Amino acid sequence: MAEFILRDPTQAKFWDERFEKNFIPWDKGCVPKNFSDFVRAKPPLRCLIPGCGNAYEVALLAEAGWDVTAIDFSASAVQTAKLTLGEWGRYVVQADFFSFEPEATLDVIYERAFFCALPPDLRQRIVQRWSELLPSGALLAGYFFFDDDENASKKGPPFSIQRQLWEALMATEFEKIEDLQVFDSIPVFASKERWQIWQRR
């Protein structure tokens, strides 16, 4: 079992340490099915992937003609992603989600273990930033980690969220248009994640 010095997931070095030690239990190693189906059902769009980690989805999107940018504030995560993706690594950028400015208007933000990677006190900021980056009609699509045990949400990362709190957090700026069970979860998320699509109001 790897031992770690850093304990604050809001700091890039926390994630650097885990990538450098290859401790990435949230990493599926491939593109999840719900997202793959979503991409195949859409024309090419402009997509941002925050907290991208190994960013396997970048290759799928680029090959489908999408304009994709994947960002992570961890230098080690970005380096690993570039090595993993080969020619598609050029779409991965080291950047902080809260200050990143896309070059053009986004159609989609893809959420995969970014929201649950950061502590609960940042949730409102994340939702606010999503709403700033997405114009009306654009989509937030991805995977969301739920547990109705209030104590569970304090343990992480990953930090789960209660469904009722999540719905209330999103309701002002977004409308939920799809909510599906996930059948190919990795163990850490098994039976507790949903594939959802939210449309910016």
Side-chain angles (χ1 to χ4, degrees):
M1 183 71 174
E3 295 184 1
F4 301 103
I5 297 171
L6 302 168
R7 301 292 177 183
D8 181 0
T10 66
Q11 301 301 308
K13 289 187 179 299
F14 171 96
W15 300 102
D16 287 341
E17 186 179 32
R18 280 143 184 84
F19 274 92
E20 287 162 8
K21 294 183 177 182
N22 198 33
F23 182 81
I24 46 175
W26 60 87
D27 186 287
K28 184 174 175 60
C30 62
V31 179
K33 185 178 186 305
N34 296 89
F35 183 67
S36 179
D37 292 346
F38 171 78
V39 172
R40 291 191 173 96
K42 299 286 185 187
L45 299 172
R46 181 172 290 109
C47 179
L48 175 68
I49 308 177
C52 65
N54 276 320
Y56 304 103
E57 294 86 351
V58 165
L60 172 72
L61 292 168
E63 288 169 359
W66 288 48
D67 181 348
V68 56
T69 302
I71 62 172
D72 205 299
F73 72 164
S74 162
S76 295
V78 169
Q79 182 180 23
T80 302
K82 286 180 176 291
L83 289 172
T84 299
L85 291 168
E87 65 174 306
W88 305 122
R90 65 184 183 274
Y91 297 114
V92 181
V93 178
Q94 186 178 357
D96 185 331
F97 169 71
F98 295 106
S99 58
F100 176 76
E101 293 292 343
E103 294 180 359
T105 303
L106 298 172
D107 301 305
V108 178
I109 292 177
Y110 172 54
E111 163 58 31
R112 178 60 171 168
F114 173 67
F115 184 82
C116 69
L118 296 175
D121 60 359
L122 288 178
R123 287 171 177 165
Q124 186 64 59
R125 280 188 67 196
I126 295 171
V127 174
Q128 179 62 35
R129 190 67 185 134
W130 284 336
S131 69
E132 292 168 355
L133 290 169
L134 292 171
S136 178
L139 303 175
L140 171 71
Y143 296 85
F144 301 91
F145 179 43
F146 299 112
D147 193 324
D148 287 329
D149 179 353
E150 184 177 353
N151 291 323
S153 67
K154 300 172 185 176
K155 303 170 185 175
F159 298 95
S160 61
I161 188 170
Q162 295 169 279
R163 288 287 293 268
Q164 187 174 359
L165 290 177
W166 167 246
E167 301 278 345
L169 194 61
M170 293 293 286
T172 301
E173 303 292 348
F174 293 88
E175 178 184 2
K176 185 170 61 179
I177 60 174
E178 186 166 285
D179 184 2
L180 299 175
Q181 187 174 353
V182 177
F183 294 101
D184 60 345
S185 301
I186 59 174
V188 70
F189 298 128
S191 77
K192 292 186 176 181
E193 68 175 342
R194 304 283 297 182
W195 164 263
Q196 295 184 344
I197 302 175
W198 293 79
Q199 187 169 49
R200 180 74 166 88
R201 296 185 187 278

